PDB file of all heavy atoms in Angstrom:
ATOM      1  N   ILE A  60      87.296  99.077  86.277  1.00 86.00           N
ATOM      2  CA  ILE A  60      86.641  98.968  87.593  1.00 86.00           C
ATOM      3  C   ILE A  60      85.301  98.247  87.536  1.00 86.00           C
ATOM      4  O   ILE A  60      84.822  97.731  88.516  1.00 86.00           O
ATOM      5  CB  ILE A  60      86.459 100.352  88.252  1.00 86.00           C
ATOM      6  CG1 ILE A  60      85.691 101.313  87.327  1.00 86.00           C
ATOM      7  CG2 ILE A  60      87.799 100.958  88.628  1.00 86.00           C
ATOM      8  CD1 ILE A  60      85.361 102.626  87.960  1.00 86.00           C
ATOM      9  N   SER A  61      84.719  98.211  86.322  1.00 88.00           N
ATOM     10  CA  SER A  61      83.416  97.503  86.207  1.00 88.00           C
ATOM     11  C   SER A  61      83.584  96.011  85.938  1.00 88.00           C
ATOM     12  O   SER A  61      82.591  95.236  85.898  1.00 88.00           O
ATOM     13  CB  SER A  61      82.589  98.136  85.075  1.00 88.00           C
ATOM     14  OG  SER A  61      83.229  97.928  83.819  1.00 88.00           O
ATOM     15  N   GLY A  62      84.840  95.591  85.761  1.00 88.00           N
ATOM     16  CA  GLY A  62      85.076  94.131  85.497  1.00 88.00           C
ATOM     17  C   GLY A  62      84.598  93.715  84.119  1.00 88.00           C
ATOM     18  O   GLY A  62      84.243  92.554  83.898  1.00 88.00           O
ATOM     19  N   ASP A  63      84.594  94.623  83.146  1.00 86.00           N
ATOM     20  CA  ASP A  63      84.088  94.344  81.797  1.00 86.00           C
ATOM     21  C   ASP A  63      85.023  93.338  81.102  1.00 86.00           C
ATOM     22  O   ASP A  63      86.186  93.580  80.912  1.00 86.00           O
ATOM     23  CB  ASP A  63      84.073  95.657  81.007  1.00 86.00           C
ATOM     24  CG  ASP A  63      83.422  95.521  79.657  1.00 86.00           C
ATOM     25  OD1 ASP A  63      83.406  94.409  79.116  1.00 86.00           O
ATOM     26  OD2 ASP A  63      82.908  96.549  79.146  1.00 86.00           O
ATOM     27  N   PRO A  64      84.495  92.174  80.747  1.00 88.00           N
ATOM     28  CA  PRO A  64      85.330  91.156  80.074  1.00 88.00           C
ATOM     29  C   PRO A  64      85.838  91.605  78.725  1.00 88.00           C
ATOM     30  O   PRO A  64      86.891  91.158  78.281  1.00 88.00           O
ATOM     31  CB  PRO A  64      84.389  89.913  79.928  1.00 88.00           C
ATOM     32  CG  PRO A  64      83.031  90.423  80.165  1.00 88.00           C
ATOM     33  CD  PRO A  64      83.135  91.703  80.965  1.00 88.00           C
ATOM     34  N   ALA A  65      85.161  92.540  78.056  1.00 82.00           N
ATOM     35  CA  ALA A  65      85.666  93.033  76.786  1.00 82.00           C
ATOM     36  C   ALA A  65      86.985  93.788  76.945  1.00 82.00           C
ATOM     37  O   ALA A  65      87.868  93.701  76.121  1.00 82.00           O
ATOM     38  CB  ALA A  65      84.609  93.951  76.119  1.00 82.00           C
ATOM     39  N   ILE A  66      87.107  94.491  78.113  1.00 83.00           N
ATOM     40  CA  ILE A  66      88.340  95.194  78.358  1.00 83.00           C
ATOM     41  C   ILE A  66      89.476  94.187  78.642  1.00 83.00           C
ATOM     42  O   ILE A  66      90.596  94.341  78.180  1.00 83.00           O
ATOM     43  CB  ILE A  66      88.186  96.227  79.515  1.00 83.00           C
ATOM     44  CG1 ILE A  66      87.258  97.356  79.054  1.00 83.00           C
ATOM     45  CG2 ILE A  66      89.539  96.781  79.953  1.00 83.00           C
ATOM     46  CD1 ILE A  66      86.908  98.349  80.111  1.00 83.00           C
ATOM     47  N   ASP A  67      89.130  93.128  79.396  1.00 87.00           N
ATOM     48  CA  ASP A  67      90.145  92.110  79.677  1.00 87.00           C
ATOM     49  C   ASP A  67      90.635  91.484  78.351  1.00 87.00           C
ATOM     50  O   ASP A  67      91.847  91.260  78.175  1.00 87.00           O
ATOM     51  CB  ASP A  67      89.579  91.017  80.546  1.00 87.00           C
ATOM     52  CG  ASP A  67      89.327  91.493  81.955  1.00 87.00           C
ATOM     53  OD1 ASP A  67      89.942  92.476  82.417  1.00 87.00           O
ATOM     54  OD2 ASP A  67      88.466  90.896  82.651  1.00 87.00           O
ATOM     55  N   THR A  68      89.731  91.228  77.435  1.00 87.00           N
ATOM     56  CA  THR A  68      90.096  90.655  76.122  1.00 87.00           C
ATOM     57  C   THR A  68      90.935  91.680  75.362  1.00 87.00           C
ATOM     58  O   THR A  68      91.973  91.278  74.763  1.00 87.00           O
ATOM     59  CB  THR A  68      88.835  90.310  75.294  1.00 87.00           C
ATOM     60  OG1 THR A  68      88.119  89.350  76.046  1.00 87.00           O
ATOM     61  CG2 THR A  68      89.212  89.747  73.946  1.00 87.00           C
ATOM     62  N   PHE A  69      90.575  92.925  75.400  1.00 84.00           N
ATOM     63  CA  PHE A  69      91.353  93.986  74.721  1.00 84.00           C
ATOM     64  C   PHE A  69      92.779  94.007  75.280  1.00 84.00           C
ATOM     65  O   PHE A  69      93.702  94.070  74.490  1.00 84.00           O
ATOM     66  CB  PHE A  69      90.680  95.328  74.944  1.00 84.00           C
ATOM     67  CG  PHE A  69      91.495  96.498  74.525  1.00 84.00           C
ATOM     68  CD1 PHE A  69      91.796  96.765  73.171  1.00 84.00           C
ATOM     69  CD2 PHE A  69      92.011  97.394  75.455  1.00 84.00           C
ATOM     70  CE1 PHE A  69      92.566  97.815  72.800  1.00 84.00           C
ATOM     71  CE2 PHE A  69      92.768  98.478  75.093  1.00 84.00           C
ATOM     72  CZ  PHE A  69      93.065  98.692  73.741  1.00 84.00           C
ATOM     73  N   VAL A  70      92.915  93.957  76.563  1.00 86.00           N
ATOM     74  CA  VAL A  70      94.274  93.981  77.191  1.00 86.00           C
ATOM     75  C   VAL A  70      95.120  92.761  76.678  1.00 86.00           C
ATOM     76  O   VAL A  70      96.270  92.948  76.304  1.00 86.00           O
ATOM     77  CB  VAL A  70      94.177  93.940  78.750  1.00 86.00           C
ATOM     78  CG1 VAL A  70      95.519  93.713  79.380  1.00 86.00           C
ATOM     79  CG2 VAL A  70      93.579  95.259  79.258  1.00 86.00           C
ATOM     80  N   LYS A  71      94.519  91.625  76.666  1.00 88.00           N
ATOM     81  CA  LYS A  71      95.249  90.441  76.156  1.00 88.00           C
ATOM     82  C   LYS A  71      95.647  90.607  74.714  1.00 88.00           C
ATOM     83  O   LYS A  71      96.721  90.265  74.304  1.00 88.00           O
ATOM     84  CB  LYS A  71      94.435  89.185  76.364  1.00 88.00           C
ATOM     85  CG  LYS A  71      94.314  88.765  77.815  1.00 88.00           C
ATOM     86  CD  LYS A  71      93.397  87.602  77.982  1.00 88.00           C
ATOM     87  CE  LYS A  71      93.258  87.281  79.477  1.00 88.00           C
ATOM     88  NZ  LYS A  71      92.078  86.556  79.829  1.00 88.00           N
ATOM     89  N   ASP A  72      94.747  91.188  73.948  1.00 88.00           N
ATOM     90  CA  ASP A  72      95.048  91.409  72.529  1.00 88.00           C
ATOM     91  C   ASP A  72      96.149  92.420  72.315  1.00 88.00           C
ATOM     92  O   ASP A  72      97.039  92.216  71.461  1.00 88.00           O
ATOM     93  CB  ASP A  72      93.787  91.867  71.782  1.00 88.00           C
ATOM     94  CG  ASP A  72      92.728  90.765  71.664  1.00 88.00           C
ATOM     95  OD1 ASP A  72      93.097  89.573  71.834  1.00 88.00           O
ATOM     96  OD2 ASP A  72      91.565  91.091  71.366  1.00 88.00           O
ATOM     97  N   ILE A  73      96.162  93.471  73.103  1.00 86.00           N
ATOM     98  CA  ILE A  73      97.237  94.472  72.899  1.00 86.00           C
ATOM     99  C   ILE A  73      98.580  93.954  73.431  1.00 86.00           C
ATOM    100  O   ILE A  73      99.625  94.304  72.933  1.00 86.00           O
ATOM    101  CB  ILE A  73      96.905  95.854  73.441  1.00 86.00           C
ATOM    102  CG1 ILE A  73      96.652  95.881  74.924  1.00 86.00           C
ATOM    103  CG2 ILE A  73      95.782  96.502  72.646  1.00 86.00           C
ATOM    104  CD1 ILE A  73      96.462  97.247  75.507  1.00 86.00           C
ATOM    105  N   GLU A  74      98.521  93.088  74.471  1.00 87.00           N
ATOM    106  CA  GLU A  74      99.751  92.488  74.942  1.00 87.00           C
ATOM    107  C   GLU A  74     100.392  91.626  73.824  1.00 87.00           C
ATOM    108  O   GLU A  74     101.600  91.585  73.677  1.00 87.00           O
ATOM    109  CB  GLU A  74      99.496  91.596  76.168  1.00 87.00           C
ATOM    110  CG  GLU A  74      99.258  92.418  77.403  1.00 87.00           C
ATOM    111  CD  GLU A  74      98.851  91.578  78.615  1.00 87.00           C
ATOM    112  OE1 GLU A  74      98.346  90.446  78.403  1.00 87.00           O
ATOM    113  OE2 GLU A  74      99.007  92.084  79.738  1.00 87.00           O
ATOM    114  N   LYS A  75      99.555  90.928  73.020  1.00 88.00           N
ATOM    115  CA  LYS A  75     100.086  90.138  71.926  1.00 88.00           C
ATOM    116  C   LYS A  75     100.801  91.010  70.930  1.00 88.00           C
ATOM    117  O   LYS A  75     101.705  90.546  70.232  1.00 88.00           O
ATOM    118  CB  LYS A  75      98.954  89.378  71.244  1.00 88.00           C
ATOM    119  CG  LYS A  75      98.346  88.269  72.048  1.00 88.00           C
ATOM    120  CD  LYS A  75      97.222  87.593  71.327  1.00 88.00           C
ATOM    121  CE  LYS A  75      96.381  86.737  72.253  1.00 88.00           C
ATOM    122  NZ  LYS A  75      95.185  86.257  71.584  1.00 88.00           N
ATOM    123  N   LEU A  76     100.364  92.267  70.777  1.00 86.00           N
ATOM    124  CA  LEU A  76     100.993  93.151  69.806  1.00 86.00           C
ATOM    125  C   LEU A  76     102.428  93.525  70.175  1.00 86.00           C
ATOM    126  O   LEU A  76     103.182  93.923  69.334  1.00 86.00           O
ATOM    127  CB  LEU A  76     100.175  94.430  69.625  1.00 86.00           C
ATOM    128  CG  LEU A  76      98.780  94.306  69.106  1.00 86.00           C
ATOM    129  CD1 LEU A  76      98.080  95.643  69.116  1.00 86.00           C
ATOM    130  CD2 LEU A  76      98.744  93.665  67.704  1.00 86.00           C
ATOM    131  N   THR A  77     102.772  93.288  71.422  1.00 87.00           N
ATOM    132  CA  THR A  77     104.092  93.658  71.889  1.00 87.00           C
ATOM    133  C   THR A  77     105.001  92.461  72.085  1.00 87.00           C
ATOM    134  O   THR A  77     106.011  92.483  72.747  1.00 87.00           O
ATOM    135  CB  THR A  77     104.053  94.468  73.223  1.00 87.00           C
ATOM    136  OG1 THR A  77     103.494  93.632  74.226  1.00 87.00           O
ATOM    137  CG2 THR A  77     103.247  95.703  73.057  1.00 87.00           C
ATOM    138  N   ARG A  78     104.619  91.322  71.448  1.00 87.00           N
ATOM    139  CA  ARG A  78     105.395  90.067  71.639  1.00 87.00           C
ATOM    140  C   ARG A  78     106.747  90.140  70.940  1.00 87.00           C
ATOM    141  O   ARG A  78     107.598  89.301  71.231  1.00 87.00           O
ATOM    142  CB  ARG A  78     104.579  88.893  71.183  1.00 87.00           C
ATOM    143  CG  ARG A  78     104.301  88.805  69.686  1.00 87.00           C
ATOM    144  CD  ARG A  78     103.334  87.687  69.367  1.00 87.00           C
ATOM    145  NE  ARG A  78     103.035  87.562  67.982  1.00 87.00           N
ATOM    146  CZ  ARG A  78     102.158  88.288  67.281  1.00 87.00           C
ATOM    147  NH1 ARG A  78     101.429  89.188  67.945  1.00 87.00           N
ATOM    148  NH2 ARG A  78     101.935  88.105  66.023  1.00 87.00           N
ATOM    149  N   PHE A  79     106.960  91.092  70.031  1.00 87.00           N
ATOM    150  CA  PHE A  79     108.254  91.186  69.338  1.00 87.00           C
ATOM    151  C   PHE A  79     109.009  92.436  69.817  1.00 87.00           C
ATOM    152  O   PHE A  79     108.381  93.465  70.096  1.00 87.00           O
ATOM    153  CB  PHE A  79     108.035  91.295  67.815  1.00 87.00           C
ATOM    154  CG  PHE A  79     107.398  90.081  67.221  1.00 87.00           C
ATOM    155  CD1 PHE A  79     106.063  90.052  66.895  1.00 87.00           C
ATOM    156  CD2 PHE A  79     108.167  88.921  67.011  1.00 87.00           C
ATOM    157  CE1 PHE A  79     105.480  88.901  66.322  1.00 87.00           C
ATOM    158  CE2 PHE A  79     107.608  87.783  66.454  1.00 87.00           C
ATOM    159  CZ  PHE A  79     106.260  87.775  66.124  1.00 87.00           C
ATOM    160  N   GLU A  80     110.289  92.309  69.871  1.00 87.00           N
ATOM    161  CA  GLU A  80     111.113  93.444  70.214  1.00 87.00           C
ATOM    162  C   GLU A  80     111.112  94.459  69.025  1.00 87.00           C
ATOM    163  O   GLU A  80     110.957  94.064  67.873  1.00 87.00           O
ATOM    164  CB  GLU A  80     112.573  92.993  70.478  1.00 87.00           C
ATOM    165  CG  GLU A  80     112.681  92.148  71.719  1.00 87.00           C
ATOM    166  CD  GLU A  80     112.321  92.899  72.997  1.00 87.00           C
ATOM    167  OE1 GLU A  80     112.662  94.073  73.102  1.00 87.00           O
ATOM    168  OE2 GLU A  80     111.686  92.308  73.865  1.00 87.00           O
ATOM    169  N   PRO A  81     111.310  95.708  69.299  1.00 86.00           N
ATOM    170  CA  PRO A  81     111.344  96.713  68.230  1.00 86.00           C
ATOM    171  C   PRO A  81     112.298  96.373  67.107  1.00 86.00           C
ATOM    172  O   PRO A  81     111.975  96.547  65.948  1.00 86.00           O
ATOM    173  CB  PRO A  81     111.748  98.018  68.953  1.00 86.00           C
ATOM    174  CG  PRO A  81     111.258  97.842  70.329  1.00 86.00           C
ATOM    175  CD  PRO A  81     111.472  96.365  70.648  1.00 86.00           C
ATOM    176  N   GLU A  82     113.450  95.814  67.438  1.00 88.00           N
ATOM    177  CA  GLU A  82     114.446  95.498  66.420  1.00 88.00           C
ATOM    178  C   GLU A  82     113.897  94.445  65.446  1.00 88.00           C
ATOM    179  O   GLU A  82     114.162  94.513  64.240  1.00 88.00           O
ATOM    180  CB  GLU A  82     115.743  94.992  67.036  1.00 88.00           C
ATOM    181  CG  GLU A  82     116.905  94.883  66.051  1.00 88.00           C
ATOM    182  CD  GLU A  82     117.231  96.211  65.357  1.00 88.00           C
ATOM    183  OE1 GLU A  82     116.964  97.292  65.881  1.00 88.00           O
ATOM    184  OE2 GLU A  82     117.748  96.140  64.219  1.00 88.00           O
ATOM    185  N   ALA A  83     113.120  93.488  65.943  1.00 89.00           N
ATOM    186  CA  ALA A  83     112.529  92.456  65.061  1.00 89.00           C
ATOM    187  C   ALA A  83     111.562  93.103  64.086  1.00 89.00           C
ATOM    188  O   ALA A  83     111.498  92.717  62.915  1.00 89.00           O
ATOM    189  CB  ALA A  83     111.826  91.403  65.879  1.00 89.00           C
ATOM    190  N   LEU A  84     110.852  94.127  64.552  1.00 87.00           N
ATOM    191  CA  LEU A  84     109.908  94.834  63.676  1.00 87.00           C
ATOM    192  C   LEU A  84     110.683  95.621  62.617  1.00 87.00           C
ATOM    193  O   LEU A  84     110.221  95.753  61.514  1.00 87.00           O
ATOM    194  CB  LEU A  84     109.015  95.744  64.499  1.00 87.00           C
ATOM    195  CG  LEU A  84     108.021  95.019  65.384  1.00 87.00           C
ATOM    196  CD1 LEU A  84     107.435  95.988  66.403  1.00 87.00           C
ATOM    197  CD2 LEU A  84     106.937  94.392  64.584  1.00 87.00           C
ATOM    198  N   ARG A  85     111.822  96.155  63.007  1.00 86.00           N
ATOM    199  CA  ARG A  85     112.612  96.932  62.052  1.00 86.00           C
ATOM    200  C   ARG A  85     113.165  96.099  60.924  1.00 86.00           C
ATOM    201  O   ARG A  85     113.169  96.502  59.782  1.00 86.00           O
ATOM    202  CB  ARG A  85     113.751  97.632  62.764  1.00 86.00           C
ATOM    203  CG  ARG A  85     113.385  98.834  63.544  1.00 86.00           C
ATOM    204  CD  ARG A  85     114.621  99.611  64.013  1.00 86.00           C
ATOM    205  NE  ARG A  85     114.203 100.568  64.960  1.00 86.00           N
ATOM    206  CZ  ARG A  85     114.226 100.386  66.298  1.00 86.00           C
ATOM    207  NH1 ARG A  85     114.631  99.263  66.781  1.00 86.00           N
ATOM    208  NH2 ARG A  85     113.789 101.332  67.077  1.00 86.00           N
ATOM    209  N   VAL A  86     113.633  94.889  61.280  1.00 90.00           N
ATOM    210  CA  VAL A  86     114.378  94.089  60.282  1.00 90.00           C
ATOM    211  C   VAL A  86     113.513  93.126  59.492  1.00 90.00           C
ATOM    212  O   VAL A  86     113.957  92.599  58.486  1.00 90.00           O
ATOM    213  CB  VAL A  86     115.587  93.340  60.951  1.00 90.00           C
ATOM    214  CG1 VAL A  86     116.548  94.363  61.551  1.00 90.00           C
ATOM    215  CG2 VAL A  86     115.113  92.318  61.930  1.00 90.00           C
ATOM    216  N   SER A  87     112.319  92.843  59.937  1.00 91.00           N
ATOM    217  CA  SER A  87     111.490  91.798  59.289  1.00 91.00           C
ATOM    218  C   SER A  87     110.161  92.369  58.785  1.00 91.00           C
ATOM    219  O   SER A  87     109.261  92.725  59.575  1.00 91.00           O
ATOM    220  CB  SER A  87     111.208  90.672  60.252  1.00 91.00           C
ATOM    221  OG  SER A  87     110.325  89.773  59.639  1.00 91.00           O
ATOM    222  N   ALA A  88     110.061  92.449  57.471  1.00 91.00           N
ATOM    223  CA  ALA A  88     108.790  92.898  56.870  1.00 91.00           C
ATOM    224  C   ALA A  88     107.660  91.956  57.232  1.00 91.00           C
ATOM    225  O   ALA A  88     106.513  92.380  57.422  1.00 91.00           O
ATOM    226  CB  ALA A  88     108.932  93.013  55.379  1.00 91.00           C
ATOM    227  N   THR A  89     107.940  90.659  57.365  1.00 94.00           N
ATOM    228  CA  THR A  89     106.908  89.699  57.707  1.00 94.00           C
ATOM    229  C   THR A  89     106.380  89.935  59.114  1.00 94.00           C
ATOM    230  O   THR A  89     105.179  89.900  59.336  1.00 94.00           O
ATOM    231  CB  THR A  89     107.477  88.252  57.574  1.00 94.00           C
ATOM    232  OG1 THR A  89     107.966  88.080  56.245  1.00 94.00           O
ATOM    233  CG2 THR A  89     106.433  87.218  57.917  1.00 94.00           C
ATOM    234  N   VAL A  90     107.268  90.145  60.041  1.00 91.00           N
ATOM    235  CA  VAL A  90     106.868  90.418  61.427  1.00 91.00           C
ATOM    236  C   VAL A  90     106.040  91.695  61.493  1.00 91.00           C
ATOM    237  O   VAL A  90     104.992  91.754  62.116  1.00 91.00           O
ATOM    238  CB  VAL A  90     108.103  90.503  62.344  1.00 91.00           C
ATOM    239  CG1 VAL A  90     107.707  91.036  63.735  1.00 91.00           C
ATOM    240  CG2 VAL A  90     108.770  89.134  62.513  1.00 91.00           C
ATOM    241  N   ARG A  91     106.520  92.761  60.765  1.00 89.00           N
ATOM    242  CA  ARG A  91     105.758  94.020  60.768  1.00 89.00           C
ATOM    243  C   ARG A  91     104.354  93.812  60.200  1.00 89.00           C
ATOM    244  O   ARG A  91     103.357  94.299  60.722  1.00 89.00           O
ATOM    245  CB  ARG A  91     106.501  95.053  59.894  1.00 89.00           C
ATOM    246  CG  ARG A  91     107.619  95.761  60.601  1.00 89.00           C
ATOM    247  CD  ARG A  91     108.048  96.991  59.827  1.00 89.00           C
ATOM    248  NE  ARG A  91     108.366  96.770  58.422  1.00 89.00           N
ATOM    249  CZ  ARG A  91     109.531  96.385  57.938  1.00 89.00           C
ATOM    250  NH1 ARG A  91     110.526  96.117  58.796  1.00 89.00           N
ATOM    251  NH2 ARG A  91     109.698  96.237  56.660  1.00 89.00           N
ATOM    252  N   LYS A  92     104.243  93.056  59.115  1.00 91.00           N
ATOM    253  CA  LYS A  92     102.962  92.794  58.476  1.00 91.00           C
ATOM    254  C   LYS A  92     102.048  92.015  59.447  1.00 91.00           C
ATOM    255  O   LYS A  92     100.863  92.328  59.570  1.00 91.00           O
ATOM    256  CB  LYS A  92     103.111  92.016  57.189  1.00 91.00           C
ATOM    257  CG  LYS A  92     101.836  91.765  56.472  1.00 91.00           C
ATOM    258  CD  LYS A  92     102.055  90.972  55.193  1.00 91.00           C
ATOM    259  CE  LYS A  92     100.722  90.708  54.560  1.00 91.00           C
ATOM    260  NZ  LYS A  92     100.664  89.494  53.772  1.00 91.00           N
TER     261      LYS A  92
END
């Protein structure tokens, strides 16, 4: 609600963490790393 740009950056960063499907994380050690 304060429009903090650090929170906006945090949101974009955590969205990047979900770019792979769970199955890709299960089968690929490289993706997990």
Side-chain angles (χ1 to χ4, degrees):
I60 56 174
S61 66
D63 187 335
I66 293 176
D67 291 337
T68 299
F69 169 69
V70 169
K71 289 176 184 158
D72 290 343
I73 61 173
E74 285 173 340
K75 290 178 194 172
L76 298 176
T77 64
R78 67 188 180 277
F79 296 103
E80 293 296 321
E82 191 59 26
L84 292 165
R85 283 191 192 93
V86 300
S87 174
T89 302
V90 170
R91 281 194 308 274
K92 182 180 176 207

